[in-house]
Amino acid sequence: MSNKLIFVIGLALFAAAPAALEAQAERIDSPFRWREKGFRIGFFGGHHAGNRGRLEFAQGPTPVAGARMRVRASSPLSLELGATYGAADRWTLDILDEGGPMVVDTVAAGWLRADVGAQIGLTGARTWNGFHPYGLIGAGFVFGVNEGASEFLADQALEPFRYDISTAPHIYVGLGFEIFPSETIGIGFEVRDYLVRVTSPDGFLFGTTLDTIEAAGATAPQRTVWGHNPEFSISIWYYF
């Protein structure tokens, strides 16, 4: 083989080397995929395991529905705004019964919740095998809406014993994951624990009321109590 032919073959192999290396690089199968879109709006539904408190006068379990907006602030961090509605109920207590606090009625106790929080992607802004796990943290307020009135407390003298959701602060933490049927659609599954403050009605803390409760051997109420309220939800997200 002449030197000229060897030179031509060598030159051809040298020219083909970058293309071969590039093809090899393209064949590297990484389980991680970058998510280009970061702004999304979602709707969700689920179940809120309402904590009625030790004396069981606060709002109870209820289905929930709402909407959320998230915007990516960095690779792992997205900021969230959310609103949730729950058509709960609550139990009216006869707190002065000689046998101790007794449930005498059930009334509506609907509420609206406003959240401000953060989503922390455990794989950053990337999916792992099409799966995106994340943590959640945030805070906000619960507002009473569509609250019913019990006939048992119709007497004006019993007004101090009526529970009012009013405006209750809360904090929450949670875990979730999301899968992606398409580039613009995500389906999320979340479990959150809402720590909500419940405030006892003024009448529960009267001296005579506390004496009656103590004589019955029941648990004395506190002015405020923070209770755990687990919530599970499924979300549909649209990415812009």
Side-chain angles (χ1 to χ4, degrees):
M1 185 180 296
S2 68
N3 292 337
K4 185 177 181 179
L5 181 59
I6 293 174
F7 174 77
V8 170
I9 294 173
L11 185 62
L13 291 175
F14 180 78
L21 292 174
E22 182 178 352
Q24 182 179 2
E26 290 178 354
R27 288 196 298 269
I28 296 176
D29 187 17
S30 171
F32 294 96
R33 293 289 184 274
W34 177 263
R35 292 285 302 171
E36 295 292 342
K37 299 180 183 292
F39 177 75
R40 60 270 202 199
I41 293 176
F43 298 92
F44 68 91
H47 181 76
H48 181 85
N51 184 345
R52 297 184 187 273
R54 288 191 298 177
L55 289 183
E56 299 190 327
F57 61 82
Q59 55 270 27
T62 177
V64 292
R68 296 182 178 123
M69 178 184 71
R70 287 178 183 159
V71 57
R72 186 186 297 161
S74 67
S75 175
L77 177 66
S78 290
L79 304 180
E80 174 185 288
L81 291 176
T84 309
Y85 175 72
D89 62 21
R90 59 180 174 82
W91 295 337
T92 300
L93 300 184
D94 180 358
I95 198 76
L96 299 176
D97 187 83
E98 292 183 357
M102 181 176 63
V103 176
V104 294
D105 200 1
T106 301
V107 297
W111 49 261
L112 181 66
R113 186 180 68 215
D115 296 333
V116 177
Q119 176 201 43
I120 301 94
L122 302 185
T123 55
R126 294 173 172 83
T127 61
W128 177 75
N129 290 316
F131 173 85
H132 185 234
Y134 54 83
L136 297 158
I137 187 170
F141 293 93
V142 176
F143 308 92
V145 294
N146 302 326
E147 293 189 75
S150 172
E151 293 184 3
F152 176 79
L153 299 176
D155 188 336
Q156 189 64 29
L158 295 177
E159 178 64 21
F161 295 90
R162 187 178 72 85
Y163 170 67
D164 185 1
I165 298 173
S166 188
T167 302
H170 71 262
I171 57 176
Y172 69 87
V173 295
L175 291 172
F177 68 89
E178 196 171 346
I179 57 177
F180 304 92
S182 72
E183 185 64 24
T184 56
I185 299 297
I187 302 175
F189 301 84
E190 294 182 359
V191 176
R192 303 185 181 204
D193 184 12
Y194 284 88
L195 195 62
V196 182
R197 190 184 74 182
V198 173
T199 301
S200 299
D202 292 339
F204 283 33
L205 303 173
F206 291 166
T208 53
T209 304
L210 294 175
D211 290 342
T212 301
I213 293 174
E214 183 181 359
T219 302
Q222 296 177 300
R223 166 59 68 182
T224 59
V225 176
W226 290 82
H228 293 277
N229 296 263
E231 181 175 299
F232 169 77
S233 66
I234 300 176
S235 306
I236 303 294
W237 293 95
Y238 185 80
Y239 284 75
F240 294 87

